[in-house]
Amino acid sequence: MKKSIRIIGCLLMMSIIMSLFSVSALSESTLSLQDDRYETSPQVVKMTVSADAVNTVKGGIFGVNNGYRAGGYGIYDEESRTFNEGMLEAIKNSGITHIREPGGIEGDYFHWYETVGPVENRIPQINPFSTGYPTYTEKEGEPYHVIFGPDEWIELCNKTGIGLTIQLNAGTGTPQEAVDFIRYCLDKGVEIESIAVGNEVCMEEERVEGITVTCGPEDYILFYNEMLTLMGEEMLAELDEKGIPFGCIGLPGSHALSIHRKWDDTVLSGIHVPADFIDIHIGYSPFSVNLTDATEEQIHLTLLATHNYVSSLLKMEVKSINKVSPDTQIKMSEFGPLGNGYCYGTAGSLYLASFFQVVLNEAKVFSADYLPLCYSYTSKNTLIGANVARDEYWVNTVGHVFKMYAEMTGRSVLSTTCENSQLFKAQATGLIPRQLKVAEGDGAVYYNEETKEGSIFLINRAYKQNTAFDITLPFENAKMVKVTELWNEDYSKCNTQAEPNAVVPMEVPFQAQMENGRLTVTAKPVSLVKIDFIAE
């Protein structure tokens, strides 16, 4: 009996020692970033990363959309007719790779040949946003004298080293006018990222009374095919030789703004030469909403959930393209948190992070354009904040997130699964329908196989609780070298002229270290965590 008791006692002691060892090992490989004012979700997100690459982070994803008004919103001084050096430096340091001009809906009314050459000889263009900044007219459509036109866009690209994304006028323009614009840009020698025929002519809205810019798929096909004829084999070959993609516009039939449910299939089937890409605008959130239409929490939750909607639309688009034109790629213009002056803060910035993680997992997406690059200095969703009159510039919170992901360009997107996350839902808000079963915890890993450097991105969308991640990397000897966190207890807090660094990525000191490629991280509510490591 005494012998049995001694054996049991020994086993119990060994068990205690092993338990203590396990706790010790766990604590050494645990990174605790939680806010103790909140509970931690009982569900630990199991994040498993494979060494298999599903895609490569393409630099084309990090483009921006901009307009011609107000000197491109501060890029160009319309009085002195010179570039604002502060803005040029901000663009160079932003991670931006290309700029889309003339910038969306205004491009459907823009005749390029009337806006080049000596400024005094240029013809004012119909401005479909004239009731807003900087003109504030009584009705839309008042003409605007373009001082920041194609010649200045090209000079901007040359000064900053970024490419030009050309948006042709398929609304009020002609095929010949569009072809002539391509030739003009080619002859100027500017780096062209891509060329798209039109903007949103497949949607319903007409902004200027008495002027129609939208059309049906059949009319669009006629416009596109006439362009192909005018371009001829020689120009098409030139674009191909220079690696300049030429494509059409589209929109998934299930999107809230779609009025032609079969647009994409009809257009891709009807054009004479397969499009290099189709340009779809599915990345807005929540759009046309403010705090008079929804509560602040509702808007926050919609921003945190919209990536689910984008992901479902993107999957539909890929499936549709593969049936009709399998070699056609996807461009996603005009994405980002957008809606009547709302302060987006970390909630909007986490939407941007989630958008990138969705898009970077889809190999068919080769290019995208964030909207907007800059606007009035009071805007909170621009990448760059600027009060040009006072020569003051700052990076908005979304701009920090944009650059964090842009710095991943060229890295492999490693296959990653996140399981066991707690789920939440968001009410229908703005353009975004109700979203159910949205994961609170999400993650991605971007890895450079040559340098062995990698970065783990963790998104905690939980609105009022911390979330723990149990991470397994395919590298047993991985070592953390830097931890960065983007968070603010006020999810609406934004950077402003008065507080330019209110919400910025902060480096976090740490003592924890990975063990055998394993790491546990507990993240604050509505936060983004980036963990840089090296696979020794």
Side-chain angles (χ1 to χ4, degrees), residues 3 20 23 72 103 157 159 181 212 224 250 334 372 447 458 508 529:
K3 184 177 179 181
L20 289 173
V23 170
C157 291
K159 284 179 175 290
F181 189 29
T212 300
Y224 195 99
E334 302 186 22
Y447 183 65
L458 302 176
V508 180
V529 177

Side-chain angles (χ1 to χ4, degrees), residues 438-510:
V438 183
E440 291 183 341
D442 198 2
V445 176
Y446 309 106
Y447 183 65
N448 186 321
E449 296 178 9
E450 292 184 3
T451 64
K452 308 300 180 185
E453 296 172 308
S455 297
I456 304 168
F457 282 75
L458 302 176
I459 300 174
N460 180 17
R461 305 184 188 100
Y463 200 66
K464 294 180 179 178
Q465 63 181 6
N466 306 303
T467 294
F469 296 80
D470 178 13
I471 305 167
T472 302
L473 294 178
F475 315 110
E476 290 188 358
N477 297 320
K479 180 181 178 180
M480 285 193 297
V481 295
K482 185 178 179 181
V483 177
T484 307
E485 180 184 49
L486 183 73
W487 176 80
N488 190 284
E489 61 183 346
D490 179 357
Y491 306 153
S492 295
K493 188 72 173 179
C494 295
N495 297 340
T496 63
Q497 183 179 352
E499 294 183 278
N501 297 310
V503 188
V504 299
M506 300 292 292
E507 187 171 347
V508 180
F510 63 93

Side-chain angles (χ1 to χ4, degrees), residues 159-420:
K159 284 179 175 290
T160 57
I162 63 176
L164 177 64
T165 294
I166 299 174
Q167 171 202 328
L168 301 172
N169 182 355
T172 59
T174 67
Q176 184 65 63
E177 175 185 340
V179 173
D180 289 345
F181 189 29
I182 296 173
R183 173 46 59 198
Y184 186 84
C185 293
L186 287 171
D187 290 347
K188 289 288 184 178
V190 65
E191 178 187 341
I192 300 174
E193 193 270 345
S194 63
I195 302 170
V197 181
N199 176 54
E200 293 172 350
V201 298
C202 53
M203 297 183 187
E204 186 175 18
E205 184 179 21
E206 302 286 3
R207 291 193 60 87
V208 180
E209 186 177 354
I211 300 177
T212 300
V213 298
T214 60
C215 65
E218 293 78 12
D219 288 335
Y220 181 79
I221 291 169
L222 289 174
F223 188 102
Y224 195 99
N225 284 338
E226 186 174 343
M227 271 197 67
L228 291 174
T229 301
L230 293 169
M231 292 168 75
E233 293 184 5
E234 185 175 345
M235 179 179 279
L236 290 171
E238 183 178 358
L239 295 182
D240 189 58
E241 182 181 349
K242 293 182 177 180
I244 302 173
F246 180 76
C248 59
I249 60 167
L251 191 69
S254 60
H255 191 273
L257 295 177
S258 175
I259 58 172
H260 302 284
R261 299 301 178 186
K262 296 292 185 179
W263 175 284
D264 292 4
D265 288 355
T266 304
V267 168
L268 289 174
S269 300
I271 56 180
H272 293 162
V273 177
D276 293 325
F277 66 89
I278 185 167
D279 187 0
I280 57 175
H281 299 188
I282 62 172
Y284 297 125
S285 178
F287 193 79
S288 298
V289 66
N290 54 42
L291 292 179
T292 62
D293 303 318
T295 66
E296 185 174 72
E297 180 173 338
Q298 181 182 338
I299 294 176
H300 285 161
L301 291 173
T302 297
L303 287 165
L304 295 169
T306 296
H307 69 284
N308 256 25
Y309 182 51
V310 173
S311 179
S312 65
L313 290 172
L314 185 56
K315 289 175 182 176
M316 292 178 196
E317 188 69 16
V318 170
K319 185 177 180 180
S320 176
I321 291 172
N322 285 340
K323 287 182 179 178
V324 182
S325 184
D327 292 332
T328 296
Q329 294 182 292
I330 294 173
K331 180 178 177 65
M332 299 177 70
S333 291
E334 302 186 22
F335 67 88
L338 186 68
N340 304 349
Y342 177 65
C343 295
Y344 300 92
T346 50
S349 299
L350 257 62
Y351 165 57
L352 185 58
S354 299
F355 175 90
F356 281 138
Q357 293 192 180
V358 167
V359 169
L360 294 178
N361 268 293
E362 177 48 62
K364 260 193 178 298
V365 181
F366 82 102
S367 177
D369 308 308
Y370 180 86
L371 185 151
L373 163 61
C374 44
Y375 192 61
S376 163
Y377 74 91
T378 60
S379 300
K380 309 301 192 304
N381 64 331
T382 59
L383 296 185
I384 299 171
N387 188 335
V388 176
R390 295 178 55 172
D391 199 30
E392 295 182 5
Y393 308 90
W394 61 94
V395 180
N396 280 323
T397 313
V398 285
H400 286 294
V401 172
F402 185 97
K403 186 174 181 179
M404 289 170 73
Y405 281 87
E407 289 173 342
M408 299 297 105
T409 297
R411 291 189 179 188
S412 296
V413 182
L414 298 188
S415 176
T416 302
T417 59
C418 291
E419 301 174 311
N420 198 46

Side-chain angles (χ1 to χ4, degrees), residues 47-74:
M47 179 175 166
T48 305
V49 184
S50 164
D52 297 330
V54 298
N55 195 16
T56 300
V57 179
K58 303 179 182 73
I61 300 298
F62 305 102
V64 291
N65 190 88
N66 199 47
Y68 60 80
R69 303 183 301 279
Y73 306 117

